[in-house]
Amino acid sequence: MPNKSSGKKVDQVRSSPAGTSASEGIVSRQGVCGGSACIKGTRIPIWVLERARQLGATETKLLEMYPDLSHPELANAWRYVDSHRDEIEQQIQENEDF
């Protein structure tokens, strides 16, 4: 049985085959971005992208702001938002209250 106090970082990769999952390319990492779901390979939280979209940012603007992101990654982020709405809204609220 693994020792939880070993200090090892654990990645929770949320993905599935065929690219149809709301979680494709989305990861959560303890100690990275507060454990919030992020685009895999980045430190860009999904809640940040969703909040920007709520404030009027277009996909074109988001891709300009985050040049390492691609259209498919944004599509995955939006699917994740749709299927994890409560989680994302809670993260937005927590960070705006800060």
Side-chain angles (χ1 to χ4, degrees):
M1 183 180 296
N3 179 353
K4 290 187 178 187
S5 64
S6 67
K8 291 184 181 178
K9 292 183 181 177
V10 177
D11 290 350
Q12 179 182 5
V13 177
R14 302 173 182 184
S15 63
S16 70
T20 59
S21 168
S23 301
E24 176 73 22
I26 308 299
V27 297
S28 293
R29 232 165 145 177
Q30 191 174 29
V32 176
C33 296
S36 296
C38 295
I39 302 290
K40 185 177 181 180
T42 75
R43 289 179 175 246
I44 304 169
I46 303 304
W47 72 263
V48 168
L49 297 171
E50 174 59 9
R51 187 61 180 136
R53 182 168 70 162
Q54 291 172 355
L55 293 171
T58 64
E59 286 195 11
T60 300
K61 183 64 175 174
L62 288 169
L63 292 169
E64 288 172 6
M65 292 168 54
Y66 300 100
D68 292 335
L69 285 184
S70 66
H71 283 283
E73 288 170 324
L74 278 179
N76 290 338
W78 305 149
R79 278 193 297 275
Y80 187 87
V81 169
D82 289 342
S83 66
H84 297 84
R85 176 70 57 191
D86 291 341
E87 170 192 334
I88 298 302
E89 290 299 330
Q90 180 180 353
Q91 291 170 352
I92 289 170
Q93 186 66 43
E94 288 171 356
N95 284 281
E96 287 191 347
D97 287 345
F98 182 69

